[in-house]
Amino acid sequence: MPEILILNGPNLNLLGEREPEIYGRTTLADIEDMCADTAAEAGLGVRCIQSNHEGGLIDAVHAARHSTIGAIINAGAYTHTSLALHDALKSYDHPIIEVHLSNPHAREAVRHHSYLSPVAAAVIAGAGAQGYVHAVEILIDHLTNAKARL
Ligand code: CA2
């Protein structure tokens, strides 16, 4: 079964435990299950990886280059700092959907720039956990209609 990469960055393992007023009460395991259910409807599997380390995220992207067909990424705070993750994603030749639980543009100025957005086919922000499900749907649409869009 073809797989999509669901990649989550630093501190997102704490979802549901801390700061529910910003990030909601849904755990990362719940989000991964929701993504798996939506992907399965399209005959796709998911590979879910969370890392608190920049290099761990980069290694996950490299490992997925030839074994996944698209990616959903919430790089957490590395979104706003990591040129290295940007470079790794540039070498990933499949559609990427960037997701944020909150809307970084409605928060501090330091969160307004994303190193990921230039390499993303779409960005979803502020839709909470449901944003990941939308991201899977959008990724499936990109994979299905890629030829028609050219
Ligand atoms: O809104 C998002 O999804 C973010 O990517 C979350 C990052 C933040 O740095 C970005 O600006 C926007 C932070 C993730 C922290 O996750 C936590 C989860 C539970 C409790 C505490 C932090």
Side-chain angles (χ1 to χ4, degrees), residues 8-100:
N8 281 284
N11 298 307
L12 289 160
N13 54 309
L14 299 178
L15 281 177
E17 291 178 31
R18 302 272 314 274
E19 301 189 54
E21 67 286 359
I22 301 176
Y23 300 118
R25 295 191 182 279
T26 310
T27 66
L28 184 57
D30 291 336
I31 287 172
E32 291 171 346
D33 285 348
M34 289 155 63
C35 290
D37 288 347
T38 304
E41 288 169 19
L44 300 175
V46 292
R47 184 183 312 171
C48 300
I49 298 175
Q50 188 273 333
S51 177
N52 291 318
H53 306 279
E54 189 173 19
L57 296 171
I58 292 166
D59 286 345
V61 172
H62 289 178
R65 280 179 65 213
H66 303 301
S67 54
T68 60
I69 59 168
I72 288 161
I73 302 187
N74 183 350
Y78 287 135
T79 303
H80 317 298
T81 63
S82 184
L83 182 57
L85 185 55
H86 166 103
D87 287 345
L89 290 169
K90 265 187 117 166
S91 73
Y92 182 81
D93 279 338
H94 310 285
I96 295 162
I97 313 296
E98 176 182 352
V99 181
H100 298 285

